[in-house]
Amino acid sequence: MATVEISRLKKAYGKVEVIHDVDLSIAEGEFVSLIGASGCGKSTLLRMIAGLEPITGGEISLDGRVINAVAPKDRDIAMVFQNYALYPHLTVAENMGFSLRLRNVAKADIAPAVRQAADLLGLAPYLGRYPKELSGGQRQRVAMGRAIVRQPQVFLFDEPLSNLDAKLRVQMRSEIRTLQKRLGTTLIYVTHDQIEAMTMSDKVVVLNAGRIEQVGAPLDVYDRPANVFVASFIGSPAMNMFDATLETSGGKSVVRIDDLVVPLPVRSAATAGTKVVFGVRPEHLELASDGDGSARFPFHVDLVEPTGAELQMHGRIGSTPAVATFRGRPGVREGDLIHLTADPRDFHLFDKSSGERLV
Amino acid sequence: MSAQTPDRGGLLRLLAKAFAILVLVLWSLGPIYWALATSLTRPDELVSRTPHFFPPNVTFQHYARLFGGSSVSQGNTVQSVWPEFSAALLNSLVTSVGATILTVAIAAFGAYAFVRLRFPGRNILFILVVATMAIPAYTVMIPLYRLMIQLGLIDTYVGITLIYTSAFLPLALWLMRTVYQAMPIALEEAAWLDGAGRIYTLVRIVLPLAAPGLIAAALLTFLNAWGQFIVPLVFSPTLATKPLTVLIPEFVTRNYVDYGLMNAAGILAIIPPIVLVIFLNRYLVSGLMAGAQK
Ligand SMILES: Nc1ncnc2c1ncn2[C@@H]1O[C@H](COP(=O)(O)OP(=O)(O)OP(=O)(O)O)[C@@H](O)[C@H]1O
Ligand SMILES: [Mg+2]
């Protein structure tokens, strides 16, 4: 169990910088997810923490000790690789006990430690098998077992569930979460699956092109995205966004989207006339009832997609493509023009030029 | 599909393929068969006018002369060649096995450095090492001979083994480099994070997984060393290190070429490599293919 402190961390491959001045503090026992699109530098960041990639600039400290120059083997950090990286010529028990043997732990102490971890992960029946004799899910567990046997300071997981089928993924999600809470070990988890990040983490770190866009609790990131990138990245289907202008009307702030005027719940500090991006999530849109005082969005329905639990309607508000999801079964058909509304507290407003959140 | 209705072109291609294979088999097995047949033919029939495809009267007298005490040849009692033959066999084994062990050991570690360690000129150095394979042996023979004389290594196991090793190391290095390049680095990274150092990781994780490649490298080196002729002809003047390849042609005396004896010895000499290839052949293929497939 340890804190991890990352400051002004940089990574360049030759002249190409892929991690730019990343700052991040991770508290003891915290479950932190790094999430971002493919190629944004998640694995690179994780591998720098592990010591597998040299650091171009900045510092990484573990429990207050700078570990930039510490070899991976001396960092006391365990990593679960995306493809598990189990030693094919060693049995499950030998795989799990490998690190203990290296530390000259007595044979008599290795077996119980391995067995305990195996029991925890339901691997007891497979201890004598070789990795190739296991299913994908079992291999994944062995990879985790190898990490937990050591009782390291920090766990690093790089997309550990991406090779599993959807059902197993859901199951492993909660297992990993439970296990981490039980062990209380700091865990940094890389994923590009936002459901994984949202459901498992104490803290979500949204990365984009080698920069941190936002750090926050899962619901914070969802409820109050710090900028346009996070707003469009977190949430599925993505948030509807409209180019708009901030105006004042009767002492209140409103946004104008083409002809549409939407009153805001609070007065914005930004000056009238500012170009803004107005956002509202598909799941926050609902059918407007007549005589309702709130904003009404005329919505041209182009396509209705039932997903079972909900209906996804793709269409346009004004000239901008938009999506709305409904839980019920409103008798809406393709080609209809309907009116939608939303709670003003679910509105998001961003500065057009900087992309930063305004309200 | 095409198997059900073999069209003309398909049939022709099949015949051409069969013919090519036949030529290849005859080409490689023909001489061996001829040697075997000769080694079982009586000396008087060997020089008869009509060549025999099968030995008319199978005889083991040539083998008897290799193994036995003394024997009768052309009416004379001749000494057995067993002492010479056995010494040369031992020499062949010692130098080939020694060169194989040394070569594979150096290649196992050296190739790893070429793949996983970053140092300036890494690729150029590797290309230079491999390029030495293109140098014809006879161009280095004289300087090498002088060097070996100065070192006092002529006609010693150490000398021969070192020459073989330097000659076969580039190929083994090349092969092992391909094997290592095909191995996922994640396994080594996992070992490092588990607390293993470089050498430990190489020995406990990498080498076991590279076993097919190591066996292939060993096999190639052994076969190469076993079949060497020019090098021992120059550097092994006496039976102290003279191998079979040099001894066997010496069964030619001034006025008599002992074909039967030469071929019997030749047949015995190819047994070790054949046995090795038969048992290790699957490793040879998988080791050579290591880089070719994912
Ligand atoms: N060895 C390398 N040499 C040069 N560029 C590299 C190297 N490794 C990674 N990169 C670049 O660094 C960037 C970040 O890569 P990284 O593997 O960290 O992405 P990622 O966020 O893990 O993506 P994914 O979700 O696809 O795994 C990418 O643009 C990649 O092209
Ligand atoms: Mg990655």
Side-chain angles (χ1 to χ4, degrees):
Chain A
M1 276 148 278
T3 60
V4 178
E5 198 72 38
I6 294 171
S7 69
R8 300 196 325 285
L9 192 67
K10 275 184 205 291
K11 174 71 192 181
Y13 289 107
K15 286 208 173 66
V16 188
E17 196 171 288
V18 296
I19 299 281
H20 319 277
D21 283 314
V22 163
D23 291 295
L24 184 63
S25 324
I26 295 166
E28 201 168 303
E30 217 171 14
F31 193 125
V32 176
S33 289
L34 303 180
I35 181 166
S38 187
C40 71
K42 307 179 295 288
S43 300
T44 306
L45 188 54
L46 204 67
R47 291 168 56 80
M48 281 199 282
I49 298 172
L52 298 174
E53 293 286 347
I55 293 168
T56 309
E59 266 180 15
I60 300 176
S61 5
L62 197 67
D63 260 345
R65 182 173 72 115
V66 177
I67 54 169
N68 284 28
V70 178
K73 72 185 179 74
D74 302 320
R75 290 195 182 193
D76 202 11
I77 289 176
M79 183 156 168
V80 176
F81 291 81
Q82 179 170 358
N83 52 9
Y84 316 142
L86 301 179
Y87 312 126
H89 58 302
L90 302 182
T91 62
V92 169
E94 287 165 344
N95 262 280
M96 289 170 64
F98 188 76
S99 60
L100 297 183
R101 223 173 71 188
L102 270 165
R103 294 172 185 194
N104 298 319
V105 174
K107 268 221 170 73
D109 297 334
I110 295 181
V114 167
R115 176 143 284 273
Q116 198 187 351
D119 285 339
L120 209 58
L121 292 161
L123 285 171
Y126 311 112
L127 282 175
R129 292 209 196 164
Y130 287 92
K132 65 166 186 290
E133 301 164 345
L134 300 175
S135 74
Q138 290 160 348
R139 282 179 210 178
Q140 207 282 331
R141 272 170 227 251
V142 176
M144 279 177 20
R146 195 168 62 180
I148 65 175
V149 164
R150 295 172 43 184
Q151 306 184 327
Q153 299 281 318
V154 179
F155 288 131
L156 306 177
F157 283 43
D158 191 356
E159 309 207 21
L161 304 184
S162 58
N163 292 346
L164 305 183
D165 66 47
K167 199 166 166 210
L168 197 54
R169 230 170 13 227
V170 174
Q171 185 193 335
M172 289 308 297
R173 224 153 66 191
S174 56
E175 275 187 33
I176 293 175
R177 173 68 182 165
T178 316
L179 196 66
Q180 190 266 344
K181 281 293 153 242
R182 170 136 39 132
L183 301 171
T185 308
T186 312
L187 195 158
I188 307 177
Y189 188 100
V190 162
T191 178
H192 59 252
D193 180 341
Q194 48 173 301
I195 305 287
E196 273 177 30
M198 298 293 275
T199 51
M200 299 166 79
S201 337
D202 299 313
K203 194 151 93 184
V204 175
V205 178
V206 184
L207 278 172
N208 178 30
R211 288 198 171 77
I212 292 185
E213 297 283 349
Q214 186 172 5
V215 180
L219 289 181
D220 273 355
V221 174
Y222 176 85
D223 290 339
R224 296 183 53 81
N227 50 46
V228 171
F229 177 82
V230 178
S232 59
F233 189 78
I234 300 288
S236 174
M239 183 187 284
N240 298 305
M241 308 237 224
F242 307 91
D243 284 338
T245 318
L246 193 65
E247 291 181 358
T248 330
S249 156
K252 290 199 157 191
S253 291
V254 298
V255 288
R256 174 178 290 281
I257 309 166
D258 298 330
D259 305 335
L260 192 69
V261 174
V262 182
L264 293 180
V266 290
R267 230 193 117 87
S268 170
T271 51
T274 312
K275 296 279 182 223
V276 295
V277 174
F278 173 82
V280 60
R281 294 196 182 278
E283 54 272 34
H284 292 148
L285 288 169
E286 53 192 47
L287 276 177
S289 46
D290 291 330
D292 196 334
S294 55
R296 292 163 67 93
F297 302 92
F299 184 81
H300 297 268
V301 182
D302 291 330
L303 180 68
V304 179
E305 284 183 341
T307 63
E310 52 189 29
L311 281 182
Q312 274 185 17
M313 286 190 279
H314 299 258
R316 284 158 290 135
I317 294 176
S319 57
T320 313
V323 183
T325 55
F326 293 130
R327 306 236 86 214
R329 303 275 160 96
V332 178
R333 279 194 307 256
E334 292 164 11
D336 285 357
L337 172 65
I338 56 174
H339 285 88
L340 301 176
T341 186
D343 187 330
R345 282 170 300 185
D346 292 327
F347 291 165
H348 302 268
L349 207 62
F350 306 95
D351 186 273
K352 170 85 175 153
S353 56
S354 70
E356 296 301 311
R357 181 179 191 84
L358 290 173
V359 180
Chain B
M1 255 187 262
S2 61
Q4 288 170 346
T5 53
D7 51 304
R8 260 187 123 78
L11 199 66
L12 261 177
R13 216 167 339 183
L14 200 70
L15 281 176
K17 212 185 210 171
F19 180 72
I21 292 175
L22 196 70
V23 168
L24 214 68
V25 168
L26 284 180
W27 177 268
S28 44
L29 290 188
I32 295 177
Y33 173 75
W34 200 250
L36 184 66
T38 307
S39 74
L40 297 173
T41 308
R42 293 212 322 249
D44 54 326
E45 285 163 353
L46 273 175
V47 290
S48 75
R49 229 153 217 272
T50 47
H52 303 283
F53 192 71
F54 298 108
N57 304 292
V58 171
T59 170
F60 290 100
Q61 68 177 79
H62 306 299
Y63 292 95
R65 279 180 58 208
L66 275 177
F67 292 114
S70 60
S71 59
V72 178
S73 170
Q74 308 216 306
N76 308 319
T77 305
V78 284
Q79 274 298 304
S80 158
V81 292
W82 174 245
E84 292 158 46
F85 183 81
S86 59
L89 180 65
L90 183 70
N91 292 341
S92 277
L93 280 174
V94 169
T95 51
S96 301
V97 170
T100 302
I101 292 173
L102 198 58
T103 302
V104 171
I106 298 175
F109 284 82
Y112 187 78
F114 275 118
V115 174
R116 295 287 194 238
L117 301 187
R118 315 207 153 268
F119 52 89
R122 182 172 72 158
N123 289 329
I124 292 172
L125 190 61
F126 181 75
I127 289 168
L128 281 178
V129 169
V130 171
T132 61
M133 285 197 292
I135 300 174
Y138 51 81
T139 59
V140 295
M141 214 52 106
I142 290 168
L144 191 59
Y145 193 77
R146 300 187 50 160
L147 182 71
M148 290 313 234
I149 283 184
Q150 274 165 16
L151 293 174
L153 290 178
I154 298 283
D155 210 14
T156 61
Y157 284 146
V158 173
I160 300 293
T161 305
L162 284 180
I163 295 174
Y164 284 176
T165 303
S166 74
F168 308 137
L169 188 57
L171 182 64
L173 266 177
W174 193 3
L175 177 66
M176 288 316 296
R177 190 175 88 131
T178 318
V179 170
Y180 291 144
Q181 277 171 337
M183 290 190 23
I185 195 169
L187 286 178
E188 290 158 58
E189 292 177 337
W192 298 336
L193 284 172
D194 269 348
R198 284 256 180 203
I199 303 282
Y200 191 91
T201 306
L202 176 57
V203 172
R204 300 307 290 263
I205 302 294
V206 177
L207 288 185
L209 298 176
L214 291 171
I215 290 171
L219 199 50
L220 288 179
T221 308
F222 182 85
L223 295 183
N224 262 333
W226 189 265
Q228 271 305 307
F229 180 66
I230 301 282
V231 168
L233 186 67
V234 173
F235 294 93
S236 300
T238 75
L239 268 179
T241 61
K242 185 182 287 179
L244 286 175
T245 42
V246 178
L247 178 79
I248 292 171
E250 290 175 359
F251 293 150
V252 180
T253 55
R254 179 138 19 122
N255 42 25
Y256 179 60
V257 180
D258 199 337
Y259 290 114
L261 188 64
M262 280 169 75
N263 284 297
I267 288 296
L268 292 179
I270 61 173
I271 288 177
I274 285 183
V275 169
L276 271 183
V277 169
I278 286 173
F279 282 105
L280 300 179
N281 142 58
R282 60 203 180 99
Y283 295 106
L284 184 63
V285 174
S286 69
L288 290 176
M289 293 297 290
Q293 270 175 315
K294 216 199 109 49

